[in-house]
């Protein structure tokens, strides 16, 4: 039985099926009909759905927004209009405009042999067997929001690092939202690090126009045996932007993953991260920091699945919620029956700066093994009055003292980032954010 919240999307696909497929690749098209079946029979979640009880998907997806199914060129030259350099980081810079990989004649950085960074559609056309090994293998059948993305996504980003290869320079991907009308964007990301590979990827989300954007993004990240992967996400958009991002990660034996999400400025953000530790000796660090004020809404939902023995997970999320903003965190650590010798720690700490701000927190442990070391906890409070009084007694004005305490509170998340230049840049951006300055990268002409 179809639900009214889905009708516009199933009707759109019925009408534009040929256009959607013609402007994509067969590997992506192969999964559309199954996804269409899910969207046709499963209503978008509302607050009665446990996993989405803090964010009403039906309300977010109700507006009738434009889509670029014809894959028309968007008039933007990010190389001239955008600069998002992290000092001393020396990144390899790539752009995704809405949901299309930006590819022109500008010379690309030289990559190690076998490394692929490019349009998901183009790589799937040139190397269908490679992309088919990974595309939609973790995301398939997960939920209706993911299925909606699978049904409509035509392009995105594909990163592949072959066995034993290290990509020395950080890959920086700038996602730019650009449109002359209110727009829905459906973006797909696949990142593969084969055995003993190493790669660092920094995603920066920005909006070039003051339009209403609804972005769905589904990312699948494969971390091979003995691989070392760092993924960072930095959101600096605006209050008319809605981001619904579902990330699925699988780690193999003795792999290491650092996954960090920083929300500095947004409208409504719902981020789901589901990570499976599938090989013994795997270790992950999952961190997040949120600064929200005005009417902003940020909801992070995480699952760390300990499927095998001898794995470690470390999770830390911190929120500072001000004005009428809303924050939500629901994190589950699942330890399966055979996952003995598991070590896991999960922490969510939050500052609610006003009586009108709201924070919802739900850390969870689900343990079926008996030889484990697991802990979880959460706190919700206000700025420490004693510390504030102490600083004022020493001549620091109250506003400056509050800023320093809030900045120090978030610093713990940033300090967990292994990449020093990125840590330094984030310290600078977080301080600017707390001072109420506009969130924009130095030299960026799009966000002004």
């Amino acid at each position: 039985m179809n639900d009214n919240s889905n009708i516009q999307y199933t009707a759109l696909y019925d009408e534009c099926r040929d256009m959607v497929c013609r402007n994509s690749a067969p590997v992506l098209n192969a999964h559309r009909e199954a996804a269409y079946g899910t969207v046709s029979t499963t209503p978008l979640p509302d607050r009665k759905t446990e996993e989405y009880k803090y964010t009403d998907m039906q309300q977010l997806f109700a507006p009738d927004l434009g889509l670029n199914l014809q894959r028309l060129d968007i008039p933007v030259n990010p190389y001239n209009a955008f600069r998002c350099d992290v000092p001393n980081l020396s990144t390899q810079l790539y752009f995704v405009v809405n949901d299309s990989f930006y590819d022109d004649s500008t010379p690309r950085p030289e990559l190690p042999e076998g490394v692929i960074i490019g349009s998901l559609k183009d790589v799937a056309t040139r190397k269908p067997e490679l992309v088919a090994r990974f595309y939609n293998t973790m995301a398939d059948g997960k939920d209706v929001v993911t299925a909606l993305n699978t049904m409509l996504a035509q392009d995105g980003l594909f990163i592949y690092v072959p066995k034993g290869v290290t990509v020395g320079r950080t890959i920086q991907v700038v996602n730019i939202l650009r449109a002359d009308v209110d727009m829905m964007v459906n973006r797909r990301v696949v990142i593969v690090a084969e055995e003993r590979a190493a790669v660092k990827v920094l995603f920066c989300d920005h909006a070039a126009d003051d339009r209403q954007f609804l972005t769905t993004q589904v990312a699948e990240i494969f971390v091979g045996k003995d691989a070392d992967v760092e993924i960072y996400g930095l959101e600096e958009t605006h209050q008319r932007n809605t981001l619904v991002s579902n990330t699925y990660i699988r780690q193999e034996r003795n792999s290491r993953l650092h996954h960090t999400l920083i929300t500095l400025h947004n409208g409504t953000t719902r981020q789901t991260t589901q990570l499976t530790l599938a090989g013994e000796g795997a270790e992950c660090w999952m961190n997040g920091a949120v600064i929200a004020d005005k009417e902003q809404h940020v909801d992070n939902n995480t699952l760390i699945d300990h499927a095998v023995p001898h794995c470690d997970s470390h999770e830390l999320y911190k929120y500072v919620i001000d004005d009428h903003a809303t924050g939500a965190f629901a994190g589950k650590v699942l330890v399966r029956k055979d996952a003995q010798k598991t070590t896991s720690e999960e922490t969510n700490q939050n500052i609610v700066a006003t009586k009108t701000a709201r924070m919802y927190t739900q850390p969870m442990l689900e343990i079926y093994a008996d030889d484990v070391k697991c802990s979880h906890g959460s706190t919700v409070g206000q700025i420490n009055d004693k510390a504030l009084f102490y600083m004022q007694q020493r001549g620091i004005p109250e506003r400056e003292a509050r800023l320093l305490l809030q900045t120090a509170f978030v610093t713990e998340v940033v300090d967990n980032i292994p990449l020093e230049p990125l840590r330094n840049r984030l310290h600078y951006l977080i301080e600017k954010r707390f001072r109420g300055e506009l969130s924009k990268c130095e030299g960026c002409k799009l966000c002004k």
Side-chain angles (χ1 to χ4, degrees), residues 58 189 226 243:
Q58 293 188 12
V189 177
D226 294 305
L243 170 65

Side-chain angles (χ1 to χ4, degrees), residues 79-96:
Y79 287 96
N80 292 334
F82 193 91
R83 297 291 183 271
C84 192
D85 297 329
V86 179
N88 303 319
L89 194 56
S90 186
T91 62
Q92 300 181 117
L93 190 58
Y94 298 86
F95 295 93
V96 176

Side-chain angles (χ1 to χ4, degrees), residues 19-223:
M19 183 190 305
V20 171
C21 294
R22 184 173 63 253
N23 292 293
S24 189
V27 172
L28 281 66
N29 296 339
H31 298 272
R32 297 194 196 280
E33 293 305 316
Y36 173 79
T38 299
V39 177
S40 299
T41 57
T42 309
L44 285 162
D46 58 15
R47 290 183 181 273
K48 295 179 182 179
T49 306
E50 177 66 22
E51 291 184 359
Y52 287 92
K53 66 181 181 180
Y54 303 119
T55 305
D56 188 341
M57 292 292 113
Q58 293 188 12
Q59 181 181 4
L60 294 185
F61 284 84
D64 185 9
L65 305 175
L67 290 91
N68 185 16
L69 301 180
Q70 290 270 33
R71 316 314 296 166
L72 301 176
D73 289 336
I74 303 296
V76 60
N77 186 342
Y79 287 96
N80 292 334
F82 193 91
R83 297 291 183 271
C84 192
D85 297 329
V86 179
N88 303 319
L89 194 56
S90 186
T91 62
Q92 300 181 117
L93 190 58
Y94 298 86
F95 295 93
V96 176
V97 179
N98 295 337
D99 48 17
S100 297
F101 184 81
Y102 184 86
D103 194 4
D104 64 2
S105 59
T106 302
R108 293 290 184 199
E110 185 174 345
L111 297 171
E113 184 176 357
V115 174
I116 300 172
I117 303 174
S119 160
L120 175 61
K121 179 186 71 173
D122 292 348
V123 177
T125 301
R126 292 184 290 105
K127 299 177 178 292
E129 297 85 2
L130 175 62
V131 176
R133 282 173 50 198
F134 303 102
Y135 181 77
N136 209 44
T137 57
M138 282 192 287
D140 185 30
K142 293 294 185 180
D143 73 359
V144 65
V145 177
T146 296
L148 178 61
N149 177 280
T150 303
M151 184 177 76
L152 295 175
Q154 296 169 286
D155 195 11
L157 176 71
F158 186 79
I159 298 176
Y160 177 79
V161 184
K163 180 178 178 179
V165 174
T166 296
V167 180
R169 294 173 61 190
T170 300
I171 299 166
Q172 184 175 8
V173 180
V174 180
N175 295 317
I176 298 178
L177 296 173
R178 167 75 180 91
D180 295 327
V181 297
D182 295 344
M183 179 72 71
M184 181 183 187
V185 172
N186 299 289
R187 183 189 305 129
R188 204 65 178 231
V189 177
V190 178
I191 300 175
V192 181
E194 297 278 21
E195 181 180 344
R196 294 183 287 106
V199 64
K200 304 178 183 68
V201 185
L202 167 63
F203 291 94
C204 299
D205 287 5
H206 298 275
D209 295 294
D210 186 20
R211 295 288 182 178
Q212 182 178 357
F213 290 100
L214 169 60
T215 301
T216 73
Q217 175 174 287
V218 173
E220 295 174 285
I221 302 172
F222 300 83
V223 186

